[in-house]
Amino acid sequence: MTTSLNLVALAGSLRKESYNQKLIEIAVDAARKSDIKNVQVDVQLIQLSNLDIPLYSQDLENTNVPSDVIALKQTFARCHGMFIASPEYNGSISGVLKNTIDWLSRPLTGPNGEKIDAAFAGKVAGVMATSPGALGGLRGLAHLKDVLFGLGCIVNPTIAAVGQAGTVLEDRGVIQDEQAVSKVQKVVHSTLELTLAHASQ
């Protein structure tokens, strides 16, 4: 019997040549090629720059929730887990990622009056980051883990912080460092294992 796992993946950046967008694409490729026995892994890659997600406002939420927010909330509600790559801005997570999380964390009603389930509570999260600096976004990941944990996520304790992004991530889809490759693969594999264990309960 084959088990299906549905995951969502995104990077908290809008920049066209974002290092973290490249990183999440590498993670998604690794997840899709995973060889966990009798498990089919489906990963939907979300690119935030393609979505219209304004700054969160309760006034806007009360009057006209953007359609892209509703669609993204529905996608997260259906998933078993997620991968998030987070840029580090001033020692924390990016504003666009925090804003997306703020929207997704809110209870929403769909266009047909249906209640949309929780985006984070009970879902497994694997987190990673990369940056041009030596720490690879490590400080921002600490904040991201706290936020996700507070929302009820099962946060994978194994993380990947890939430093020297300008050298290591020269080409899309390629990591030029064996240790960095190993870090990402460990996060991907352990997140899938955690997601499978939770989905089987």
Side-chain angles (χ1 to χ4, degrees):
M1 180 176 178
T2 300
T3 300
S4 293
L5 293 181
N6 299 310
L7 295 100
V8 181
L10 60 82
S13 176
L14 302 179
R15 189 169 73 90
K16 183 178 180 181
E17 294 299 323
S18 163
Y19 292 130
N20 280 278
Q21 185 64 39
K22 294 177 182 180
L23 185 68
I24 202 67
E25 289 172 6
I26 291 167
V28 166
D29 185 60
R32 288 172 176 167
K33 292 177 179 176
S34 64
D35 57 356
I36 301 176
K37 188 176 181 180
N38 297 328
V39 176
Q40 177 183 333
V41 178
D42 295 314
V43 188
Q44 183 171 348
L45 179 62
I46 304 294
Q47 191 149 357
L48 293 180
S49 59
N50 293 334
L51 304 180
D52 180 17
I53 303 179
L55 290 175
Y56 173 76
S57 162
Q58 192 169 10
D59 290 339
L60 182 58
E61 180 185 56
N62 290 339
T63 57
N64 185 25
V65 177
S67 59
D68 280 351
V69 171
I70 294 175
L72 189 60
K73 176 83 171 180
Q74 290 170 328
T75 297
F76 270 78
R78 292 190 296 265
C79 79
H80 297 106
M82 66 200 74
F83 295 107
I84 300 178
S86 174
E88 181 180 287
Y89 289 6
N90 299 314
S92 188
I93 65 177
S94 66
V96 66
L97 179 56
K98 183 60 166 62
N99 184 59
T100 301
I101 291 173
D102 288 345
W103 270 112
L104 290 174
S105 69
R106 301 292 295 170
L108 290 180
T109 301
N112 298 317
E114 72 278 17
K115 180 181 180 296
I116 302 175
D117 290 335
F120 299 107
K123 309 294 176 73
V124 175
V127 300
M128 60 196 70
T130 186
S131 76
L135 295 179
L138 189 61
R139 294 175 299 172
L141 283 182
H143 290 185
L144 176 59
K145 289 172 65 179
D146 284 346
V147 171
L148 294 175
F149 181 78
L151 292 171
C153 266
I154 303 161
V155 183
N156 185 352
T158 302
I159 63 171
V162 179
Q164 310 300 331
T167 301
V168 173
L169 293 168
E170 289 181 351
D171 300 307
R172 188 171 296 276
V174 178
I175 299 180
Q176 308 287 349
D177 182 271
E178 289 185 7
Q179 287 187 337
V181 170
S182 179
K183 287 180 182 179
V184 174
Q185 289 177 340
K186 285 179 180 178
V187 171
V188 169
H189 183 76
S190 56
T191 298
L192 293 178
E193 291 282 5
L194 277 172
T195 304
L196 177 61
H198 186 70
S200 301
Q201 291 180 357

